[in-house]
Amino acid sequence: MICYAFPLAHEASLLLKHCTEKESFSIDGLHCTLANLGRRRVLVALVGMGEAAAGKNTETVFEHFRLKAFVLAGYGGALVPPLKVGQVVVSANFTSEAVLGFLRMFSGFDFASFCTTDEVVGTPEKRDSYARATNSQVADMETEAVAGIVRERQIPFMAVRAISDDYQQVLPTGALAAGFDAPKGRATPFRLLGYLATRPGEIAPLQKFVRGLSAARKNLTKFLEQLNAELPASW
């Protein structure tokens, strides 16, 4: 069985909508869904945002399920100008060699080097800094921790992200923090409204970011469904 893991429910929601025969449950705070995706029975797991939560919940996945492959998917930030919002990218530095060879027969995505950060990289200046320091093109907050745990099990691993914000965007990091409770993995709309009431200048950048998530999720889901249909049946 393959696990499709996502940090957040929003990232997974469209894929789950396309699944059938769904059975959802929680294990020690880890939200899971067993479902049919095409002809394959899969596990969809919400491992949480950030390395600590994602690492802990990935360990929980392996404590309760016997997996043959693990795909970590979600949104990622562009560290370099060529990457655009909605573009699907696969990690060339964390994905297993066997998977990389298989993916070279695919289209509709690009390879990139990923780095894992402990903050939202929200300005061109910060993106330049991370790109230089890590020689990477995409930033996320979970891949390194999850990849290390999966590699210990010696099963195929893939990290894939859809770009949610491009190089030039200045993200409203305060509004993003006010609008989402990362430890609990849920939106906090009333806290966000209170925050924006005193900082109206962040409304337009927030709206731009949110609009980009729709294209990112759609393209990510399409890629995952195509991948799922073509992966070896033995997985």
Side-chain angles (χ1 to χ4, degrees), residues 8 39 48 59 63 82 88 105 118 127 139 148 169 188 198 209-210 215 218 223 225 227:
L8 303 175
R39 299 179 180 179
E59 293 278 12
E63 288 171 7
V88 176
M105 300 183 293
D118 60 359
R127 294 180 183 114
Q169 276 181 262
T188 51
T198 60
F209 175 74
V210 172
K218 179 180 177 181
F223 173 79
E225 289 181 313
L227 176 75

Side-chain angles (χ1 to χ4, degrees), residues 49-97:
M49 184 176 177
E51 287 195 272
K56 173 182 175 293
N57 284 319
T58 299
E59 293 278 12
T60 300
V61 169
F62 281 105
E63 288 171 7
H64 293 86
F65 300 95
R66 178 173 288 183
L67 303 174
K68 294 186 177 180
F70 196 104
V71 177
L72 176 64
Y75 304 138
L79 298 179
V80 294
L83 295 177
K84 302 304 180 186
V85 171
Q87 190 170 348
V88 176
V89 286
V90 171
S91 172
N93 55 323
F94 286 107
T95 300
S96 304
E97 285 296 328

Side-chain angles (χ1 to χ4, degrees), residues 135-158:
N135 194 30
S136 299
Q137 296 85 48
V138 176
D140 69 57
M141 301 179 73
E142 299 84 21
T143 296
E144 186 170 358
V146 174
I149 293 166
V150 178
R151 284 172 175 168
E152 292 177 357
R153 274 71 181 183
Q154 298 183 330
I155 65 171
F157 172 76
M158 186 177 82

Side-chain angles (χ1 to χ4, degrees), residues 14 75 86 88 162 213-223 225:
L14 190 55
Y75 304 138
V88 176
L213 296 182
S214 177
R217 181 173 61 176
K218 179 180 177 181
N219 293 345
L220 179 64
T221 302
K222 180 180 178 181
F223 173 79
E225 289 181 313

